[in-house]
Each structure stands twice: as structure tokens, then as C-alpha cells.
Amino acid sequence: RSDESIVVYFNNVIFNNIDFIPFVEISLEENISYINSNNSEKYIAFTYDDGPSDYTLELLDVLEKHNSSANFFVVGNRIKGKEDIISKIYNSNSEISSHGYTHSNFKTMTDEEISNELNSTNIIFNSITGDKIKYVRPPYGEYNDTLTTYGYNIILWNIDSKDWLIKDSDKIYNNVIKNACDGCIVLMHDSYDKTLEATKKS
């Protein structure tokens, strides 16, 4: 949250015997505080993989119209020609993260290949923004211990919208709504027009 502290949110599904969401603040000065949020605020994280695409900017506009944000996990070799999209996301309230350079399975790669996937995407991102990528989502959610050594935060998901499979905006929307929970991370893709339509329904 700031240079002085780290905030950790827990998914309330884990805590079946209590009626509030734990909120823990870990101070870098080694002071630990516990706050009972009493469900006063609930959070769900929207994430979009496989961009940037022809739908990304409109999707970003929809999110900002509703005072929302998301994390866009971009594929490095899809950025060329869409540098303006990266800049627009970077200068918004949303986040850009890495989905590798070629959308290949990290679990089947050598250490050198994984390094190339991460570094190539980060170099392109840095050339556009002057910043570094902080988060990575391995394609297919597959990775080995090598990925944990590069200093990125690895972000997976616990709600799959299945937009990659069903290509139906109503079903995509319903898949998210029926499984929504405080602290959940939703997997979607900004490369499908039906995902854009589903987001507009939110």
C-alpha cells in the first residue's frame, strides 16, 4: 500500500467459522496489526490475459467509466504495433503484467528459456514506460520452481470465466457472478469480443 507497509487480503472462503474478512497489515517496521473489516468493503480482482488486442482500449474505457480497474497480463510478442495501448493502460488505474513473450508453457521450458520469456517482455515494457513489470501469470497456470527465483509475484486465479471456451457473453457474465466472492481473482481474456460484452454487463 505504501513504502511503509504491506497489506494482505485473505479469501473468506478459507475462514468458514467466522463472519468477517481478516485484514492484516505487515509493517516494514515489524509492527503487526489486525483489523476486523466486518465486510464493510469487498474486493474482486478482474484480470485479462493474452493482450494487447483490438478490444483492449474499449475494455479499459468500460472499466474506467465504472471507476474500476484490472490487471492486464500481456504477451510480449503481441505488443509491437500496439505500444499506444500499453501506454494508455500504464497511465490509467489499471496494471500491466507479464504473460510471457510467446505464451508458451513455462513448465516445459529450460531455465534459459524462462529467463528469455520474462526478460524479453520486460525489456519491451520498459522501453515504452520506463518502468519494470512486477507480476507474472504463467500461461495455462503452469510453472516450476525456477519461475519463483526471478523476483516476480506470481498471480493465478480462482474464478475461470471460461471465455476462452464458451464465447458467449451471457454465460461468461454468469460464470463470474455465480462464483464471485470477496478476494477472488477472475480470469478473463481481452482478446475476445464476447468478453468485452460481458464486462459491459457488470
Side-chain angles (χ1 to χ4, degrees):
R1 186 175 64 181
S2 69
D3 291 338
E4 291 76 34
S5 64
I6 301 170
V7 173
V8 181
Y9 295 95
F10 295 88
N11 188 331
N12 65 326
V13 174
I14 298 173
F15 299 86
N16 294 316
N17 298 319
I18 57 177
D19 59 359
F20 59 87
I21 308 302
F23 174 98
V24 177
E25 181 174 291
I26 304 173
S27 170
L28 298 184
E29 297 179 349
E30 298 184 354
N31 297 318
I32 300 177
S33 60
Y34 179 93
I35 302 171
N36 178 358
S37 71
N38 289 320
N39 289 340
S40 59
E41 291 183 297
K42 294 182 183 294
Y43 298 90
I44 188 167
F46 279 12
T47 66
Y48 296 89
D49 290 6
D50 292 2
S53 76
D54 293 337
Y55 305 111
T56 306
L57 284 182
E58 187 174 355
L59 182 56
L60 185 65
D61 288 342
V62 171
L63 292 167
E64 293 193 327
K65 180 181 177 180
H66 294 283
N67 196 31
S68 299
S69 60
N71 199 326
F72 291 85
F73 290 87
V74 301
V75 179
N77 66 7
R78 297 176 187 173
I79 294 176
K80 186 176 181 180
K82 294 183 170 64
E83 291 86 353
D84 60 322
I85 296 177
I86 299 300
S87 294
K88 182 75 179 291
I89 298 172
Y90 180 76
N91 290 303
S92 73
N93 291 323
S94 291
E95 182 95 20
I96 297 175
S97 300
S98 176
H99 202 38
Y101 184 75
T102 62
H103 200 280
S104 300
N105 191 327
F106 285 5
K107 198 168 187 177
T108 64
M109 291 183 181
T110 65
D111 292 358
E112 182 179 3
E113 287 171 335
I114 293 173
S115 178
N116 288 339
E117 286 280 324
L118 297 172
N119 290 337
S120 296
T121 303
N122 199 43
I123 289 169
I124 296 170
F125 176 76
N126 179 261
S127 71
I128 298 169
T129 67
D131 205 350
K132 296 180 180 179
I133 290 176
K134 303 178 184 70
Y135 306 100
V136 62
R137 170 172 287 162
Y140 318 107
E142 297 280 350
Y143 65 97
N144 54 37
D145 290 343
T146 298
L147 184 61
T148 66
T149 66
Y150 288 95
Y152 293 88
N153 293 296
I154 300 171
I155 307 297
L156 299 179
W157 63 88
N158 49 15
I159 296 179
D160 186 350
S161 69
K162 298 194 184 299
D163 58 349
W164 54 275
L165 176 65
I166 57 181
K167 311 288 177 57
D168 181 298
S169 61
D170 288 332
K171 290 181 179 179
I172 294 167
Y173 173 83
N174 289 331
N175 278 347
V176 174
I177 294 301
K178 74 180 181 181
N179 292 298
C181 66
D182 187 24
C184 279
I185 300 174
V186 183
L187 169 65
M188 293 179 282
H189 299 78
D190 57 320
S191 51
Y192 303 127
D193 60 339
K194 298 303 181 184
T195 303
L196 172 61
E197 292 176 16
T199 303
K200 289 180 178 179
K201 297 174 187 290
S202 301

